[in-house]
Amino acid sequence: MNRTHDASSIPTSTQERIFSAAEKLNYQPNMMAKSLRKQRSYTIGVIVPEIGEGYSSTVLNGIENSLVREGYFFFVVSHMHREELLREYPRLLMARAVEGIIAVDTRWSESFRIPVVTISSHQNVSGVANIVLNHRRAATLALGHLFDLGHRQIAIIKGQSFSSDTITRWEAILDTAEGLSLQINQKLVMQLESDSFTSEPGYIAAQALLRAGIQFTAIFAFNDISAIGAIRAIREAGLRVPEDISVVGFDDIPSAAFQNPPLTTIRQPLQTMGTLAVEHLLQRVKNESAVSKSDIITVEPELVIRNSTAARPI
């Protein structure tokens, strides 16, 4: 006797009773049963440098929302820029049967048997898709804004050497400055040194700029977190933002608009970048032939003008 049935063979009255009971009991489909039935894990691995206020957490929010909406579970691991963890985590995630990996702000140099999508890796790796910001456009927006306000002595706070965006953004700044005939004084260039993900590295960098004794009227900081630290250093030196020194950040993290003064910044569409990463990864998960492609998906920045920038002081 054939005991196999599909839903259409169940009487309508019985279906209605099942749905009614499921609603009362708040029934949710069993993910384990679904995974066993289809021989899939419906699990994604996400690798980030750290989880705190700023770039990674905002991107992660976009990833999380998209994966939950698509019915996927995910693991998040933080490597804190430790080489041994960068080597170990992809293999640990694959041992847990993840179907793909998303790496955020992490230099990626290796291909794996599962799909990988990186965000801001800037590495050309076979089979790895990369979502990147148009840094040339970002530099043009930031420096162009300060240039139009009359600033010519502009200090730059570069990112830490381990950040995957540091070199690309610095090259974009140099190219843009040349196009504006804007001289970048190397003595007004400071690099974030600490591996702290707080505002302290920006605070220390701005202190060093102020101690150098070279006049400048604006700072373009690597990110909003460092810009917030720079503003504190400027105020402690008895100067005002923006009346004496204008400050431009980068990222447009949620708290940027609520600083005192609200921070002018270059907005990266961080949540959108997380969403795009999920979309491209799941396309590859569902289409194994796409895993060999090394796509580059470029997103555009936006200048958000608030109260931390003003015309160059006379």
Side-chain angles (χ1 to χ4, degrees), residues 207-251:
Q207 282 184 320
L209 286 168
L210 292 164
R211 283 197 304 267
I214 302 171
Q215 183 182 15
F216 62 93
T217 61
I219 294 178
F220 179 24
F222 181 70
N223 51 31
D224 292 341
I225 296 293
S226 60
I228 292 167
I231 289 173
R232 176 179 172 181
I234 292 167
R235 284 182 168 156
E236 287 185 357
L239 300 170
R240 300 165 298 167
V241 176
E243 291 85 355
D244 299 310
I245 299 176
S246 290
V247 177
V248 176
F250 206 107
D251 289 337

Side-chain angles (χ1 to χ4, degrees), residues 214-290:
I214 302 171
Q215 183 182 15
F216 62 93
T217 61
I219 294 178
F220 179 24
F222 181 70
N223 51 31
D224 292 341
I225 296 293
S226 60
I228 292 167
I231 289 173
R232 176 179 172 181
I234 292 167
R235 284 182 168 156
E236 287 185 357
L239 300 170
R240 300 165 298 167
V241 176
E243 291 85 355
D244 299 310
I245 299 176
S246 290
V247 177
V248 176
F250 206 107
D251 289 337
D252 196 25
I253 61 174
S255 66
F258 298 94
Q259 296 301 312
N260 182 21
L263 188 62
T264 294
T265 187
I266 298 298
R267 175 181 291 160
Q268 294 199 69
L270 297 176
Q271 288 198 32
T272 298
M273 292 164 78
T275 300
L276 286 172
V278 171
E279 290 177 357
H280 282 269
L281 186 71
L282 296 189
Q283 286 175 8
R284 288 170 174 240
V285 167
K286 297 170 186 176
N287 178 17
E288 293 183 0
S289 63

Side-chain angles (χ1 to χ4, degrees), residues 23-280:
E23 184 175 357
K24 289 179 181 177
L25 294 172
N26 193 27
Y27 171 76
Q28 299 294 325
N30 189 298
M31 179 59 73
M32 181 63 72
K34 179 181 178 182
S35 299
L36 290 172
R37 185 171 66 252
K38 296 192 176 184
Q39 295 185 326
R40 291 183 54 190
S41 70
Y42 292 93
T43 303
I44 300 298
V46 182
I47 300 177
V48 298
E50 49 79 33
I51 301 175
E53 187 195 18
Y55 180 101
S56 296
S57 62
T58 309
V59 173
L60 189 57
N61 184 254
I63 293 172
E64 178 182 37
N65 290 339
S66 297
L67 287 176
V68 169
R69 185 169 58 249
E70 294 294 330
Y72 280 75
F73 183 72
F74 60 97
F75 296 112
V76 180
V77 293
S78 304
H79 56 73
M80 296 168 287
H81 302 286
R82 291 168 52 184
E83 290 296 329
E84 70 275 17
L85 295 180
L86 283 166
R87 291 191 299 269
E88 185 179 8
Y89 278 158
R91 291 161 179 81
L92 286 175
L93 289 169
M94 286 191 293
R96 284 158 176 76
V98 299
E99 297 187 357
I101 292 175
I102 298 173
V104 180
D105 190 19
T106 299
R107 289 177 182 167
W108 198 268
S109 59
E110 192 172 354
S111 298
F112 291 96
R113 59 178 172 78
I114 60 174
V116 176
V117 175
T118 61
I119 298 176
S120 300
S121 171
H122 305 287
Q123 306 293 310
N124 185 15
V125 180
S126 176
V128 176
N130 192 16
I131 296 172
V132 297
L133 185 77
N134 183 343
H135 285 273
R136 182 64 180 269
R137 177 62 178 160
T140 298
L141 289 172
L143 292 182
H145 172 61
L146 292 173
F147 191 89
D148 290 344
L149 290 172
H151 297 281
R152 298 297 182 269
Q153 290 77 40
I154 301 174
I156 307 294
I157 297 180
K158 296 171 61 177
Q160 289 98 331
S161 59
F162 54 68
S163 174
S164 57
D165 274 335
T166 294
I167 294 175
T168 301
R169 193 171 305 165
W170 175 239
E171 291 174 347
I173 288 171
L174 292 177
D175 289 344
T176 301
E178 183 178 358
L180 291 170
S181 297
L182 179 66
Q183 184 71 34
I184 299 293
N185 185 339
Q186 290 300 317
K187 293 182 179 179
L188 290 177
V189 177
M190 292 293 169
Q191 184 156 21
L192 301 175
E193 297 292 347
S194 170
D195 60 1
S196 169
F197 297 102
T198 69
S199 294
E200 184 180 17
Y203 173 75
I204 294 171
Q207 282 184 320
L209 286 168
L210 292 164
R211 283 197 304 267
I214 302 171
Q215 183 182 15
F216 62 93
T217 61
I219 294 178
F220 179 24
F222 181 70
N223 51 31
D224 292 341
I225 296 293
S226 60
I228 292 167
I231 289 173
R232 176 179 172 181
I234 292 167
R235 284 182 168 156
E236 287 185 357
L239 300 170
R240 300 165 298 167
V241 176
E243 291 85 355
D244 299 310
I245 299 176
S246 290
V247 177
V248 176
F250 206 107
D251 289 337
D252 196 25
I253 61 174
S255 66
F258 298 94
Q259 296 301 312
N260 182 21
L263 188 62
T264 294
T265 187
I266 298 298
R267 175 181 291 160
Q268 294 199 69
L270 297 176
Q271 288 198 32
T272 298
M273 292 164 78
T275 300
L276 286 172
V278 171
E279 290 177 357
H280 282 269

